[in-house]
Amino acid sequence: MLHRRLFVLIDNLSCGATNQHISEYHTFKLGDLSPHVFAIAEAAYTSIVDDNINQACVISGESGAGKTETTKFILQYLCTITSNVSSWVQQQILEANTILEAFGNAKTTRNDNSSRFGKFMQVCFDDYNCIKGCVIQDYLLEQSRITFQSEGERNYHIMYQLVAQGQKNIGIAKSFHLRPPEFYKYLNTSNSEKINMSLESKKFDAVTMAFTVLQIPQFVIDGVFKVLSSILWLGNIEFMDVDGEVTDFSGSDQEAISSISNLLGLNRCDFKKVLLIRQINVRGNITEIPLKIKEAIENRHALAKALYSKTFTWLVSKINNCTNPGQDGAKFLGVLDIFGFENFSHNSFEQLCINYTNEKLHKFFNHYVFALEQSIYKQEGIYFNHVEFTDNTPCLEIIEKPPRCVFKLLTEQCHMPKGSDSAFLCNMHTEFESHPNYIKGSDRRHWETEFGIKHYAGLVIYSVGGFVEKNRDVQQDVMFDYMSSSKDLFIKDLSKYQDFQFINSSYPRGSSKSKCTVSDNFRQQLQSLIDVLQNTKPWYVRCIKPNLQKRPNTYSSSLVLDQLKYLGVVDIIRIRREGFPIHLAYKDFIVRYKCLMKYKSFECPQKYLSNILQISRMPPTEWQIGKTKIFLRNAVYELLESNRKDTIYKNAVIIQKYWNRYCCQKSFIRNKQAVLRIQHAYRGWRLRIRFMRMRRSAIVIQSRLRGVFAREVAAALREMKRVDEELKKRDGMYGQLTSINTNTLADCERLIQEELSVLADISDEIQASVKPLNDNNTSESNTTRALIQQDTVDLDNIFIFLCESNGSFDNALIGEINDNMNNLVKDLDEEIKELHYYDGTPGKLSEFEQLLNPYPTQDARQARVIYGAVKRWKL
Ligand SMILES: Nc1ncnc2c1ncn2[C@@H]1O[C@H](COP(=O)(O)OP(=O)(O)OP(=O)(O)O)[C@@H](O)[C@H]1O
């Protein structure tokens, strides 16, 4: 399926990247808003979410057009939309860029921050479409820049940053043996402008901060800076020719040698040997040959380049370790920021590799967009107007197609002991003289030093000097062997580090064929990149440089038109208009758009397809049905997509409605049940509390009542006892009265006998009422009996007695006691009165009163108490 795979054109100077911009583009379709790299990033991200296919954003354009900035915008966009809160891994991905820029970017005549390496950043996503990590693949770092920079250009940024920091901080200068920038030859090969120390020092702080975010230990960071300082010192070694065959160090070299040995933790003699002697492999025997002065200088440069490039690849692998997505990050969105097409006044091996990369990517683009497209039209038997496009296959073949191509001829020379640039050029002229994409040089005078290739973006003249040497990629194995026994842990680790991707040599060490050449490695790397891109859904971002002065809103028409032409933009607009850029298999089309049909019948797919399109009122010129696929123009596709989106939206609302209702019902029932259960439990609890309170109150009331009754009964019994004693006293009085008046006494005796008999009856009745209790419970009866038999009445015992009796006393009995007691008291009072009037003697009366009634008021009160108690009892 060819999706909306075309591109946005980025005018790099007007492209903003605030969070507001990001939120504006988020969730919007490509084309809804004005062209912006965020729209592409959004489309690619949506596609990864919807279709679950890996995506690739291929960013191209010439040097300084804004590829690196665009890459950063895409990363920033992805990091922002995939997380509300910036997570650690996203921070690490952004900071990795800071490190890569410091170590891999440099000032060129076209761009102050030119990437001198290519990179493919695969941002990996988990099943929830959140960023899980990132894998970076680097391509061909420009090594020659370490030792030499053209006019107006600079070495890699990190070199200046380190030296500037050394100027600011004495401690750092001492630890890394740093000197002012003017001291180092590798920083002064061109007349570039003066270094802004404070700016560089600030950038150095940013790099160390980025190292910290990537959790790189301090000893490793220090190790990296030691290597950089050693490289700078290497440039200052001058050598001295001894006899034309042997070289030695000059007096001024000693400081550099001791500094480098210290920094790398090497033995001084070993290091000197590396600089002055070369090892060669002759049929398995390693032979040491002293280097001539020219060779020693070249060897020193090679050593510096090898150290820097190894440190760079080590850093990339370290960053990959830190941002490794693990098992979860299966899907990825790759961002390819590769060096733009270059055509300088002096072009060398590096420019050939860079322009070869651009040719390769352009071919991929052409193949994907034009050739493949039109071959599918033919296969499917649909009618179309053939679209012509600029095919760059011949140019690519001259560079890379075996058996005879530029790279093959160059490798041949590298494998020859006496291989040279001139021999390479001669072979090229012979081989490609008649090739349409090849010219021998800018003019006849330069045929011995130059060759030209007509790239898709224009003719580039290459100076052949240094091609063989640069392609040889001298590995400096001896130096790394010595470094492996360094005292510094990082240096040791670095020396053992191998970029495993390209270790494929079967030749013995030291032989000229022992290593793949730089071009071989680079070709393999690029091929694997193309293989990865072929398995992704590509998105193209073409960066256009509007003017050469880096001014905003200034367009140099001819410059822009040239770029639009060679980037294939004009061709692509044609195919968009004339071709059918969207094609879908029948099944996919039906699955995707059947929602637009009311009646879903699948008997004849072709009929069904045309039904969908007719019902949706699509103009018939805008679509065609092939043998297995349906082909659509962009306008139809847009319309279908928009209808589909509306239908899905409406249906989604209905589904949501039902689902929400179901959820609400479910939640209501659950809440209701919960409320009932809570109510149930609460009511139970409240009733239990109320019952307990009432029971406690009842017990209190009962105990109080029982106490009251017990006290009243005890008072009654006490009163009985007192009456008994009164009777006894009266018996005594009777004898005295007899002597006064026998008749009166006889009457008195009779009356007393009657009263005694009444009291005896009461006593009998009490005994009789106590008796049933004795029969019911022997223990109870014992207590009761003991109580009754006691002379004195104890209130506690009375209470126990009442408890035991458990209400067996009849209220009537108490009433009777009360009545009898009242009667008794009343009778006694009357009797005393009678006695008083009978005698008629006041002196005797007072004696009798004192004798018979010593406590008249107390009697009356007791009687009232008993009466009151019994009355309450009855109530
Ligand atoms: N959107 C932008 N806003 C402001 N400045 C920009 C923007 N894009 C690019 N630039 C400026 O242009 C310069 C070049 O951009 P950039 O480094 O991205 O180019 P490039 O295409 O990657 O070049 P090279 O191929 O040399 O690496 C930047 O250093 C920056 O100053």
Side-chain angles (χ1 to χ4, degrees):
M1 178 166 109
L2 178 67
H3 273 289
R4 305 164 49 74
R5 63 190 177 198
L6 299 180
F7 45 85
V8 283
L9 300 171
I10 306 294
D11 157 13
N12 66 7
L13 297 179
S14 58
C15 174
T18 58
N19 273 355
Q20 194 202 335
H21 267 89
I22 291 175
S23 50
E24 265 174 30
Y25 279 84
H26 188 34
T27 70
F28 275 93
K29 242 173 40 184
L30 184 63
D32 282 358
L33 301 173
S34 56
H36 199 289
V37 67
F38 291 162
I40 283 278
E42 174 64 26
Y45 179 71
T46 311
S47 182
I48 210 171
V49 172
D50 292 349
D51 309 332
N52 220 10
I53 304 169
N54 293 333
Q55 313 285 316
C57 294
V58 181
I59 304 167
S60 50
E62 63 179 63
S63 180
K67 299 181 293 295
T68 311
E69 295 297 323
T70 305
T71 305
K72 286 195 265 183
F73 288 153
I74 292 179
L75 291 178
Q76 191 192 343
Y77 186 84
L78 293 176
C79 290
T80 310
I81 60 160
T82 52
S83 161
N84 292 332
V85 192
S86 183
S87 77
W88 191 239
V89 69
Q90 287 155 340
Q91 205 56 41
Q92 285 184 324
I93 292 170
L94 296 175
E95 289 300 338
N97 247 329
T98 312
I99 295 176
L100 292 179
E101 261 189 35
F103 283 80
N105 287 25
K107 181 181 186 252
T108 65
T109 48
R110 289 174 162 234
N111 182 0
D112 291 353
N113 184 32
S114 181
S115 310
R116 305 319 295 161
F117 69 106
K119 62 175 182 283
F120 184 50
M121 296 183 82
Q122 290 171 258
V123 182
C124 303
F125 295 87
D126 61 13
D127 294 340
Y128 305 101
N129 302 309
C130 289
I131 293 181
K132 206 64 202 149
C134 178
V135 181
I136 301 170
Q137 172 66 59
D138 60 304
Y139 297 95
L140 195 75
L141 178 79
E142 186 186 55
Q143 292 181 24
S144 60
R145 187 164 296 274
I146 300 291
T147 56
F148 175 79
Q149 305 94 42
S150 306
E151 197 64 26
E153 300 199 347
R154 293 203 325 172
N155 208 318
Y156 286 103
H157 295 327
I158 189 67
M159 297 295 198
Y160 302 93
Q161 291 166 6
L162 177 66
V163 173
Q165 188 68 8
Q167 292 299 292
K168 195 177 138 192
N169 187 329
I170 289 283
I172 288 194
K174 268 193 180 166
S175 339
F176 303 124
H177 299 254
L178 293 171
R179 296 291 167 85
E182 306 78 47
F183 176 76
Y184 297 110
K185 292 208 171 124
Y186 279 167
L187 300 185
N188 294 288
T189 62
S190 67
N191 291 326
S192 64
E193 65 205 47
K194 211 171 169 290
I195 301 163
N196 182 338
M197 290 302 214
S198 69
L199 184 71
E200 297 295 349
S201 164
K202 266 187 203 156
K203 287 184 178 170
F204 181 86
D205 289 339
V207 172
T208 44
M209 173 60 86
F211 274 128
T212 316
V213 171
L214 284 159
Q215 293 167 334
I216 294 178
Q218 190 57 45
F219 83 92
V220 173
I221 303 173
D222 289 348
V224 170
F225 294 142
K226 280 180 189 168
V227 174
L228 296 184
S229 177
S230 311
I231 292 169
L232 291 176
W233 275 105
L234 268 174
N236 282 24
I237 298 176
E238 285 177 335
F239 299 105
M240 188 180 73
D241 188 12
V242 177
D243 57 4
E245 291 297 320
V246 178
T247 313
D248 205 352
F249 297 108
S250 67
S252 58
D253 291 342
Q254 297 309 321
E255 192 189 0
I257 287 165
S258 77
S259 293
I260 298 169
S261 314
N262 268 337
L263 286 164
L264 299 182
L266 296 178
N267 180 308
R268 242 175 107 97
C269 297
D270 290 343
F271 180 57
K272 280 183 176 174
K273 219 167 134 187
V274 170
L275 291 175
L276 300 178
I277 286 166
R278 173 164 52 117
Q279 286 186 345
I280 57 161
N281 189 320
V282 184
R283 294 191 196 92
N285 296 325
I286 307 284
T287 314
E288 292 186 345
I289 300 173
L291 294 169
K292 292 178 189 161
I293 184 153
K294 209 172 159 221
E295 290 171 337
I297 290 170
E298 280 310 314
N299 180 52
R300 177 266 313 264
H301 287 329
L303 192 54
K305 290 181 204 166
L307 274 173
Y308 193 83
S309 98
K310 200 157 191 141
T311 309
F312 186 78
T313 44
W314 182 91
L315 270 175
V316 173
S317 91
K318 194 75 195 166
I319 290 170
N320 282 336
N321 284 349
C322 293
T323 56
N324 192 337
Q327 298 290 319
D328 294 348
K331 293 183 283 185
F332 71 81
L333 193 160
V335 187
L336 181 67
D337 168 23
I338 209 133
F339 9 62
F341 184 79
E342 284 183 0
N343 187 5
F344 297 123
S345 53
H346 178 269
N347 300 297
S348 184
F349 176 70
E350 289 83 5
Q351 276 65 48
L352 178 69
C353 290
I354 288 170
N355 293 339
Y356 161 64
T357 310
N358 283 281
E359 288 287 354
K360 193 99 179 155
L361 288 172
H362 193 65
K363 159 113 193 201
F364 172 71
F365 172 76
N366 281 345
H367 177 74
Y368 194 79
V369 177
F370 301 106
L372 197 67
E373 182 77 354
Q374 298 193 49
S375 75
I376 292 171
Y377 292 171
K378 261 189 216 151
Q379 228 173 294
E380 289 286 322
I382 65 162
Y383 175 77
F384 71 100
N385 293 328
H386 185 79
V387 179
E388 285 299 330
F389 63 93
T390 332
D391 188 6
N392 68 333
T393 311
C395 180
L396 202 54
E397 281 179 358
I398 197 179
I399 302 173
E400 65 154 16
K401 194 180 175 191
R404 307 299 283 171
C405 61
V406 175
F407 283 154
K408 209 78 202 160
L409 296 178
L410 187 59
T411 302
E412 257 176 34
Q413 287 302 315
C414 294
H415 289 164
M416 282 179 195
K418 290 213 182 276
S420 69
D421 295 328
S422 52
F424 162 64
L425 187 66
C426 187
N427 290 348
M428 293 254 290
H429 286 342
T430 324
E431 194 69 41
F432 306 121
E433 198 168 10
S434 54
H435 198 285
N437 287 79
Y438 185 84
I439 60 163
K440 285 183 172 176
S442 50
D443 66 56
R444 190 172 276 275
R445 282 170 301 168
H446 298 117
W447 279 9
E448 274 97 64
T449 55
E450 290 176 354
F451 69 96
I453 292 182
K454 289 178 190 163
H455 290 285
Y456 72 95
L459 171 69
V460 180
I461 302 291
Y462 298 96
S463 303
V464 83
F467 261 61
V468 173
E469 195 55 44
K470 284 175 181 172
N471 192 39
R472 261 203 192 114
D473 189 24
V474 184
Q475 286 293 307
Q476 300 294 335
D477 290 330
V478 182
M479 173 68 175
F480 288 118
D481 276 354
Y482 287 133
M483 277 169 63
S484 67
S485 43
S486 162
K487 290 170 225 148
D488 188 292
L489 275 179
F490 168 74
I491 305 293
K492 225 175 179 174
D493 192 30
L494 181 73
S495 68
K496 287 177 197 151
Y497 174 73
Q498 296 279 11
D499 193 356
F500 287 104
Q501 204 177 352
F502 299 106
I503 304 166
N504 50 6
S505 172
S506 54
Y507 296 102
R509 182 177 146 178
S511 73
S512 60
K513 293 183 179 178
S514 62
K515 297 286 173 203
C516 272
T517 59
V518 174
S519 59
D520 288 340
N521 281 344
F522 187 53
R523 210 149 42 94
Q524 286 176 37
Q525 265 191 316
L526 266 190
Q527 194 48 54
S528 52
L529 170 68
I530 298 293
D531 293 344
V532 172
L533 291 181
Q534 262 160 359
N535 292 318
T536 60
K537 183 172 156 187
W539 301 84
Y540 292 95
V541 180
R542 298 291 201 220
C543 298
I544 306 286
K545 200 170 181 171
N547 60 70
L548 294 174
Q549 297 77 34
K550 301 176 197 164
R551 272 199 226 116
N553 301 321
T554 309
Y555 286 84
S556 159
S557 308
S558 60
L559 184 76
V560 171
L561 188 66
D562 280 352
Q563 291 175 75
L564 289 177
K565 270 186 192 159
Y566 79 68
L567 287 173
V569 178
V570 177
D571 292 338
I572 207 88
I573 290 168
R574 256 199 0 258
I575 200 163
R576 289 285 282 180
R577 261 208 231 119
E578 295 166 22
F580 296 89
I582 288 99
H583 26 109
L584 293 152
Y586 290 169
K587 200 175 144 214
D588 292 342
F589 184 86
I590 291 171
V591 167
R592 199 164 176 84
Y593 299 113
K594 71 178 176 206
C595 58
L596 301 177
M597 295 287 285
K598 260 193 180 165
Y599 306 103
K600 296 173 177 41
S601 128
F602 300 100
E603 282 158 21
C604 172
Q606 268 164 317
K607 204 169 162 212
Y608 192 67
L609 290 175
S610 47
N611 274 351
I612 293 178
L613 290 160
Q614 277 156 10
I615 283 174
S616 308
R617 295 204 186 90
M618 302 294 165
T621 49
E622 299 296 293
W623 52 271
Q624 285 198 52
I625 295 176
K627 287 177 193 158
T628 60
K629 289 179 176 173
I630 182 157
F631 292 81
L632 309 171
R633 290 229 162 101
N634 214 32
V636 176
Y637 176 73
E638 296 283 339
L639 214 61
L640 280 174
E641 276 295 300
S642 146
N643 289 352
R644 178 175 175 268
K645 206 174 165 188
D646 289 348
T647 315
I648 288 176
Y649 181 77
K650 273 184 210 151
N651 289 327
V653 168
I654 293 169
I655 293 168
Q656 274 178 356
K657 209 166 71 184
Y658 280 102
W659 172 250
N660 285 345
R661 194 182 72 180
Y662 166 75
C663 290
C664 285
Q665 268 178 352
K666 212 172 147 187
S667 130
F668 171 75
I669 291 168
R670 215 178 38 223
N671 287 348
K672 198 174 131 189
Q673 281 171 351
V675 166
L676 286 177
R677 193 171 288 183
I678 292 167
Q679 279 182 351
H680 177 79
Y682 175 71
R683 282 184 186 146
W685 173 80
R686 209 174 57 183
L687 287 175
R688 269 195 298 282
I689 294 286
R690 202 168 148 215
F691 167 75
M692 278 159 68
R693 270 199 203 130
M694 284 171 72
R695 196 172 68 169
R696 200 180 302 143
S697 307
I699 289 168
V700 170
I701 293 166
Q702 277 180 356
S703 67
R704 294 279 158 85
L705 270 178
R706 281 182 184 151
V708 168
F709 296 152
R711 278 189 293 279
E712 285 177 359
V713 169
L717 289 173
R718 253 188 244 115
E719 192 57 30
M720 276 172 66
K721 198 177 165 195
R722 192 186 63 78
V723 169
D724 208 17
E725 280 167 4
E726 283 295 320
L727 283 175
K728 280 178 190 162
K729 271 186 196 169
R730 202 171 292 175
D731 279 347
M733 269 171 48
Y734 180 73
Q736 289 176 5
L737 285 173
T738 312
S739 63
I740 300 165
N741 194 331
T742 314
N743 289 338
T744 311
L745 283 174
D747 289 344
C748 285
E749 192 176 30
R750 185 179 47 83
L751 285 170
I752 288 166
Q753 281 304 326
E754 280 171 15
E755 282 173 15
L756 279 174
S757 77
V758 170
L759 285 171
D761 288 349
I762 292 167
S763 177
D764 287 348
E765 276 176 24
I766 291 171
Q767 293 286 355
S769 59
V770 171
K771 198 168 181 293
L773 289 171
N774 295 348
D775 300 339
N776 287 343
N777 187 324
T778 49
S779 65
E780 280 178 21
S781 63
N782 288 341
T783 321
T784 315
R785 204 175 301 124
L787 182 68
I788 292 166
Q789 282 170 2
Q790 269 175 359
D791 282 348
T792 58
V793 178
D794 182 357
L795 274 180
D796 292 340
N797 285 338
I798 289 293
F799 179 70
I800 295 164
F801 157 70
L802 284 167
C803 289
E804 284 174 351
S805 68
N806 202 18
S808 57
F809 274 121
D810 191 356
N811 287 354
L813 173 64
I814 302 295
E816 215 172 313
I817 292 170
N818 185 39
D819 290 347
N820 287 330
M821 290 301 291
N822 283 343
N823 289 340
L824 184 62
V825 172
K826 204 167 124 192
D827 290 350
L828 277 172
D829 288 347
E830 279 170 8
E831 229 176 281
I832 287 163
K833 253 185 198 171
E834 273 173 33
L835 280 172
H836 174 70
Y837 290 115
Y838 184 80
D839 186 25
T841 313
K844 279 186 184 175
L845 178 65
S846 73
E847 274 176 30
F848 272 112
E849 276 178 338
Q850 282 171 12
L851 193 66
L852 287 173
N853 195 10
Y855 313 107
T857 47
Q858 197 180 345
D859 287 342
R861 201 179 67 233
Q862 288 289 355
R864 268 200 303 281
V865 167
I866 293 170
Y867 177 75
V870 172
K871 217 171 174 184
R872 277 201 300 281
W873 177 291
K874 280 177 181 168
L875 277 171

